[in-house]
Amino acid sequence: MKTFSVSVQETTNPAIIKFELNQFITKYQSFEFQNIDEAKNSPLAQQLFYLPFVKKVYISANFIAVERFNIVEWKDVQDEVSKQIEEYLNNDGVVVLDDSAPKKTAVTVYAESTPNPAVQKFVANKKLVTAMFEFTSIDDAKLSPLASELFHFPFVKSVFIDENYVSITKYDVAEWQDITIELRELIRSFIEQGKDVVLPEAPETLGKTTPQIDQSFDALDDISKEIINILEEYVKPAVASDGGNIQFQSYDADTKTVKVILQGACSGCPSSTFTLKNGIENMLKEMLKDKVEIVEATNG
């Protein structure tokens, strides 16, 4: 059973609010509706237009953006709209009628090398997932139809999926020049056919929905929260561009030790130790002064 949850996200335009979902509601398609007549192929958008303050509705892969007229402030109505969307979806409400969107969507995927010679990054022109996922075996990949297919190649060691890319770690039995085209075509064809990259229940099952992440964050001590914020702002964008991720694991105030998990291209990367010691560790020491002395890492 698909269980939808909605989180409210502000945008740079005060008239527009994003209602972000924990799973996809369209097959890589986006739709914009200016009024209720234009929304005849979207029962969800039509329902939203019955609210007198709704000016425009935009529906994309995993969010609904709504622009309001100035007769209300979002702070007064956003929770009610969020609840309405959540109830509609959980009651199997139709988002967009099947005949209003093409069965296939044009997809491009290109391969990109990473600092880790065992890892190749495959970047798509579509958003693939709503959260980060790493799978290290075919058993581990039961919640990801795409990763499960990739593991049928004997040279695939692990699969890391984030936003719009897939990082694949290979065993040494194959060379990238011999397998890249085949992997790229499989990923491109899979996305083009509108298949689920991960199953709808995957984020909730693996504790990756926004409410679950927020709850885990709120339960941490203040220093751990500071460390996570520093990693999110200064470290993750850089390693994501290389097809990897560094995830906070724990902080020990007595030993002043931070433990992190290396994922995707960062896992097993020859340069990761250097990056940790000369980058992250020094950054945390500088920004948190006497609260951090050591950063330890384990491969995901």
Side-chain angles (χ1 to χ4, degrees), residues 226 230 279-293:
E226 285 189 66
I230 291 170
I280 301 170
E281 188 172 89
N282 289 341
M283 182 187 298
L284 292 176
K285 282 181 178 179
E286 175 64 27
M287 298 182 79
L288 296 175
K289 298 306 178 186
D290 59 343
K291 296 182 177 66
V292 173
E293 288 294 333

Side-chain angles (χ1 to χ4, degrees), residues 118-133:
V119 179
Q120 191 95 312
K121 182 180 176 183
F122 296 86
V123 185
N125 64 331
K126 304 290 178 183
K127 183 167 183 175
L128 304 180
V129 289
T130 61
M132 222 174 276
F133 298 92

